[in-house]
């Protein structure tokens, strides 16, 4: 049940992130159009616009938003692929790792945007737009995920609900994993205990002990467990 629910949540997050990227694209296009128009009217030139003009070296040319419509449609599946490739849909990792994955996805998205502009000779793509979009996309994705997960944490805390985890392994790796999972995961977790593996040296910190892996099926029958994680050495546990 939890596995199906997790898969569904990840798909939803992937779709939400793609929509957020599209919204960032539209916002960047709006800001770039506004900068182009304001740069032609000295009375409307704010400090931000003057800074853009100084960086650009001249007044940025005006944009035609309709030129970007087909480009946006072409980028939607590419964003989804980049977000999936960087595993940005994983909601159980620390915020710093989420930010790093979003940074990778944003860099890939900008790279694909530049590649499309080069291959299809899309001369209308402005470099100021590309920079604005990359910054807005990264901030929007990261901030949106943090707010969403904090809202989920608040709801689950109020309900007294938690994600119940059993860890197979009683060694140093299992203990370290349990500590990292409890400290870094944005969702509320409860480590139900540790299940031993024959021949593995156990750590005194692996408490409580719930038995051995041979009786894992019976353990899952009598305990409400959402997820079992194997944290034992070797490639074939």
């Amino acid at each position: 049940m939890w596995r199906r629910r997790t898969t569904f949540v990840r798909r939803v997050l992937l779709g939400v992130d793609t929509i957020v990227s599209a919204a960032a694209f539209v916002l960047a296009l709006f800001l770039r159009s506004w900068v182009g128009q304001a740069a032609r009217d000295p009375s409307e030139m704010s400090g931000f616009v003057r800074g853009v003009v100084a960086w650009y070296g001249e007044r940025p040319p005006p944009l035609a938003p309709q030129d970007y419509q087909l480009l946006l449609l072409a980028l939607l599946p590419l964003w989804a692929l980049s977000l999936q490739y960087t595993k940005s849909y994983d909601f159980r990792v620390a915020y710093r790792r989420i930010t790093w994955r979003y940074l990778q996805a944003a860099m890939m998205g900008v790279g694909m945007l530049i590649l499309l502009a080069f291959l299809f000779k899309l001369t209308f793509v402005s470099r100021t737009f590309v920079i604005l979009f990359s910054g807005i996309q990264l901030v929007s994705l990261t901030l949106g995920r943090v707010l969403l997960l904090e809202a989920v944490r608040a709801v689950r805390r109020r309900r007294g609900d938690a994600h119940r985890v059993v860890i197979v392994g009683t060694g140093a790796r299992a203990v370290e994993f349990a500590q990292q999972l409890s400290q870094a995961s944005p969702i509320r977790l409860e480590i139900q205990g540790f299940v031993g593996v024959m021949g593995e040296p156990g750590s005194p910190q692996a408490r409580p002990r719930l038995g051995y892996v041979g009786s894992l099926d019976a353990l899952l029958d009598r305990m409400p467990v959402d997820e079992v994680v194997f944290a034992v050495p070797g490639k074939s546990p």
Side-chain angles (χ1 to χ4, degrees):
M1 176 66 71
W2 170 255
R3 187 171 185 176
R4 289 197 297 269
R5 186 168 59 183
T6 299
T7 301
F8 173 75
V9 171
R10 287 176 172 175
R11 289 175 179 173
V12 169
L13 290 176
L14 186 62
V16 169
D17 286 343
T18 304
I19 294 173
V20 170
S21 297
F25 185 96
V26 173
L27 179 58
L29 184 60
F30 170 79
L31 289 176
R32 174 57 183 81
S33 300
W34 171 75
V35 168
Q37 294 174 359
R40 275 159 170 68
D41 188 352
S43 63
E44 296 186 15
M45 286 183 64
S46 61
F48 172 74
V49 176
R50 290 191 181 93
V52 173
V53 172
W55 172 83
Y56 200 82
E58 59 181 342
R59 292 180 179 179
L63 294 185
Q66 62 273 13
D67 292 337
Y68 288 79
Q69 293 176 359
L70 291 178
L71 181 60
L72 174 59
L73 294 177
L75 285 171
L76 285 174
L78 298 180
W79 287 331
L81 287 174
S82 65
L83 290 164
Q84 184 167 3
Y85 178 78
T86 56
K87 297 182 180 180
S88 301
Y89 52 74
D90 193 349
F91 57 92
R92 298 177 300 173
V93 298
Y95 287 141
R96 62 179 181 276
R97 184 168 294 182
I98 291 176
T99 304
W100 169 243
R101 291 179 178 179
Y102 276 144
L103 178 60
Q104 291 178 303
M107 291 173 62
M108 290 178 62
V110 171
M112 290 184 289
L113 172 58
I114 295 173
L115 181 62
L116 286 176
F118 174 77
L119 291 177
F120 296 97
K121 302 187 187 314
L122 306 178
T123 57
F124 59 83
V125 177
S126 165
R127 59 180 179 177
T128 50
F129 166 76
V130 173
I131 294 174
L132 279 172
F133 166 66
S134 59
I136 293 173
Q137 183 189 30
L138 177 60
V139 172
S140 300
L141 288 172
T142 305
L143 183 60
R145 178 63 61 85
V146 170
L147 292 176
L148 176 61
L149 291 180
E150 288 299 326
V152 171
R153 290 183 72 176
V155 171
R156 299 192 74 163
R157 194 181 302 115
R158 181 174 299 179
R159 291 170 50 190
D161 192 16
H163 182 57
R164 297 170 290 264
V165 180
V166 166
I167 297 178
V168 176
T170 57
R173 171 185 281 186
V175 172
E176 181 182 3
F177 177 80
Q179 292 173 347
Q180 291 180 351
L181 194 63
S182 299
Q183 296 170 3
S185 178
I187 64 174
R188 183 168 174 246
L189 296 172
E190 282 185 6
I191 306 298
Q192 301 289 91
F194 297 81
V195 175
V197 177
M198 296 299 294
E200 180 191 22
S203 169
Q205 295 177 288
R207 292 286 186 271
R209 296 284 184 93
L210 303 177
Y212 284 91
V213 69
S215 59
L216 181 60
D217 54 347
L219 172 68
L220 297 179
D221 284 338
R222 69 174 186 269
M223 286 184 62
V225 176
D226 295 307
E227 185 172 9
V228 176
V229 179
F230 285 77
V232 293
K235 295 183 178 180
S236 302

